[in-house]
């Protein structure tokens, strides 16, 4: 009986030491992904004290490649400036019902899409820039993003957004893009 | 005899532990990406990347347009141009292509042809969309047969998948000069 007790104690210490070694990695894993996504059906929602809103979504099907479309998204972040800075970094993408993720185009093509589908005098800010450069009057800090997506997912897309420090919490908002004709 | 048994158990345990410690792989070995090998001509996919080799060519010289001029590049070895069809699977992904030569040496795509159209390192794979891309390497001619194209995420992918597309069975068509679009 005494031996069994020692064996049980050894097993307990073994498990504890494993947990102790794995603890930082478990924390990192928890912070590394959007495990807890809150789905909102309206155009805005709140995440960690910051209101996220979808202002405009426009889409254009490429005439030469009719299976794909470019999508322009203007969104706003509104809230306490310090809270927005506390996010440290934006993590955003468009998701569909299969869990696929389309990230913003961070290249020349992305800038061309924003020029093509955006408005005169549009901001050039990305999500991260809008997070840091919030207007002092408390109005939403706007940013613009461009995406390349398959045409068949256009009706199913949602914006999923989180900050580096808000994860595992994230917010998911529906996107209802307006179709724009290609330029003549 | 009663005292010998525990000593023997302790010695064997110590030897086993020492053996485990000596053969313990380092961190980089533990988190190496998983390689998916794809036979010639077939399509394969990993968690993020899918694709196949469509054709391949080699050339002694490449010309391509850059800022309105026609740029000509020569090489001390040979240019290998691999044409591939690639597709994203679950998440937008930027790629890095490497040629694994017959000797096992690894060659990154050349930077000297930057400006030519559709190069794999400029491509942003999107889920659900196929894209045609080319990967250009500069390497000795004897590294081409029995080589393989390795496609991975642009950033280091620990414990993620990399796609190894084996070279086509037929030899690449060789041309003295190849013109690429800009």
């Amino acid at each position: 009986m005494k031996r069994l007790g020692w064996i049980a104690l050894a097993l307990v210490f073994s498990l504890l030491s494993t947990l102790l070694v794995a603890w930082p990695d478990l924390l990192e894993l928890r912070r590394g992904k959007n495990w807890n996504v809150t789905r909102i059906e309206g155009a805005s929602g709140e995440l960690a004290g910051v209101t996220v809103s979808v202002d405009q979504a426009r889409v254009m099907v490429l005439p030469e490649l009719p299976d794909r479309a470019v999508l322009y998204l203007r969104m706003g972040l509104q809230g306490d400036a310090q809270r927005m800075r506390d996010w440290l970094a934006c993590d955003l993408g468009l998701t569909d019902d299969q869990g696929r993720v389309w990230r913003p185009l961070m290249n020349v093509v992305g800038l061309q899409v924003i020029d093509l589908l955006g408005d005169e005098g549009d901001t050039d800010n990305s999500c991260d820039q809008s997070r840091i450069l919030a207007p002092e009057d408390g109005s939403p800090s706007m940013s613009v993003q461009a995406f390349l997506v398959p045409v068949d997912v256009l009706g199913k897309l949602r914006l999923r957004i989180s900050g580096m420090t808000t994860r595992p919490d994230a917010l998911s908002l529906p996107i209802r893009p307006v179709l724009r004709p290609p330029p003549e | 005899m009663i005292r010998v048994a525990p000593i023997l158990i302790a010695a064997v345990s110590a030897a086993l532990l020492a053996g485990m410690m000596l053969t313990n792989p380092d961190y980089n070995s533990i988190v190496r990406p998983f390689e998916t090998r794809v036979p010639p001509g077939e399509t394969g996919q990993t968690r993020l990347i899918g694709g196949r080799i469509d054709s391949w060519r080699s050339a002694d010289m490449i010309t391509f347009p850059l800022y309105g001029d026609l740029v000509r590049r020569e090489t001390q070895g040979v240019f290998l141009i691999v044409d591939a069809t690639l597709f994203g699977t679950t998440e937008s992904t930027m790629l890095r292509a490497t040629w694994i030569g017959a000797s096992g040496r690894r060659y990154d795509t050349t930077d000297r042809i930057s400006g030519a159209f559709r190069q794999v390192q400029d491509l942003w794979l999107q889920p659900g969309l196929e894209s045609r891309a080319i990967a250009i390497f500069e390497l000795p001619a004897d590294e081409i047969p029995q080589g393989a194209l390795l496609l991975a995420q642009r950033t280091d992918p620990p414990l993620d998948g990399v796609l190894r597309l084996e070279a086509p069975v037929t030899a690449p068509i060789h041309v003295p000069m190849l013109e690429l679009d800009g």
Side-chain angles (χ1 to χ4, degrees):
Chain A
M1 194 62 196
K2 197 176 171 184
R3 275 190 185 173
L4 279 176
W6 282 115
I7 290 169
L9 200 63
L11 282 173
V12 167
F13 276 115
S14 173
L15 284 173
L16 280 176
S17 62
T18 306
L19 192 65
L20 195 70
V21 171
W23 191 248
D25 295 327
L26 290 171
L27 285 182
E28 191 182 325
L29 183 65
R30 185 171 181 270
R31 284 279 184 207
K33 284 196 170 186
N34 299 307
W35 298 105
N36 180 28
V37 182
T38 305
R39 282 173 70 94
I40 305 282
E41 293 311 321
S44 67
E46 194 179 297
L47 178 67
V50 176
T51 301
V52 182
S53 57
V54 175
D55 184 54
Q56 287 287 339
R58 296 170 189 153
V59 69
M60 183 183 288
V61 179
L62 300 172
E64 300 87 13
L65 299 162
D67 65 329
R68 57 201 68 192
V70 288
L71 192 147
Y72 160 90
L73 178 76
R74 189 164 66 213
M75 52 169 267
L77 297 178
Q78 188 175 23
D80 179 62
Q82 187 56 45
R83 285 200 168 191
M84 286 200 253
R85 279 196 289 272
D86 285 347
W87 278 25
L88 293 183
C90 285
D91 173 8
L92 71 90
L94 300 182
T95 60
D96 71 351
D97 47 11
Q98 295 176 45
R100 297 183 293 181
V101 185
W102 289 265
R103 299 288 183 184
L105 298 170
M106 301 286 188
N107 53 15
V108 178
V109 176
L111 295 175
Q112 287 170 340
V113 172
I114 290 166
D115 277 348
L116 190 66
L117 293 173
D119 291 322
E120 282 282 322
D122 235 348
T123 176
D124 293 328
N125 285 346
S126 65
C127 178
D128 271 320
Q129 287 165 325
S130 73
R131 200 176 46 72
I132 296 162
L133 305 170
E136 289 181 0
D137 61 3
S139 58
S141 185
M142 308 307 284
S143 65
V144 287
Q145 282 77 214
F147 300 86
L148 179 65
V149 296
V151 167
D152 56 8
V153 299
L154 283 176
K156 308 166 193 165
L157 290 173
R158 299 182 65 90
L159 169 68
R160 191 186 68 192
I161 183 167
S162 63
M164 188 187 277
T165 55
T166 72
R167 288 192 300 247
D169 295 334
L171 197 65
S172 172
L173 301 164
I175 299 285
R176 297 181 183 91
V178 177
L179 187 64
R180 287 286 176 92
E184 294 294 319
Chain B
M1 190 63 198
I2 293 165
R3 292 197 179 167
V4 172
I7 293 169
L8 204 61
I9 290 169
V12 169
S13 304
L16 279 172
L17 279 172
M20 285 165 70
M21 285 176 71
L22 286 172
T23 56
N24 189 23
D26 60 83
Y27 179 80
N28 285 335
S29 304
I30 294 169
V31 299
R32 274 180 66 180
F34 307 108
E35 198 173 273
T36 302
R37 286 186 179 229
V38 183
E42 291 188 19
T43 301
Q45 83 172 58
T46 65
R47 188 180 71 89
L48 292 172
I49 308 161
R52 64 177 176 274
I53 293 177
D54 295 324
S55 62
W56 61 339
R57 300 165 279 173
S58 60
D60 298 319
M61 190 191 303
I62 287 179
T63 62
F64 60 100
L66 184 68
Y67 306 125
D69 289 332
L70 195 65
V71 179
R72 193 176 74 174
R73 294 273 190 256
E74 294 173 14
T75 178
Q76 291 178 324
V78 67
F79 286 111
L80 171 65
I81 303 98
V82 182
D83 299 271
T85 298
L86 307 173
F87 54 90
T89 53
T90 54
E91 189 165 344
S92 305
T93 307
M94 297 192 86
L95 294 179
R96 190 182 74 232
T98 307
W99 183 260
I100 303 174
S103 68
R105 293 193 192 102
R106 293 180 175 229
Y107 300 86
D108 281 339
T109 45
T110 179
D111 290 333
R112 297 175 61 230
I113 317 292
S114 60
F117 194 45
R118 293 194 293 113
Q119 290 197 69
V120 73
Q121 62 269 33
D122 303 327
L123 184 68
W124 204 322
L125 278 190
Q126 305 291 347
L129 293 176
E130 271 195 358
S131 300
R132 303 287 305 278
I134 57 170
I136 307 172
F137 305 93
E138 288 181 75
L139 68 183
D142 59 359
E143 292 281 34
I144 295 177
Q146 294 161 352
L149 178 68
L150 194 72
L151 295 168
Q153 284 169 262
R154 176 82 57 86
T155 51
D156 201 25
L159 292 175
D160 210 327
V162 295
L163 195 62
R164 181 184 168 126
L165 302 168
E166 299 294 339
V169 181
T170 52
I173 295 165
H174 184 80
V175 291
M177 190 178 79
L178 182 70
E179 286 179 40
L180 293 175
D181 296 331

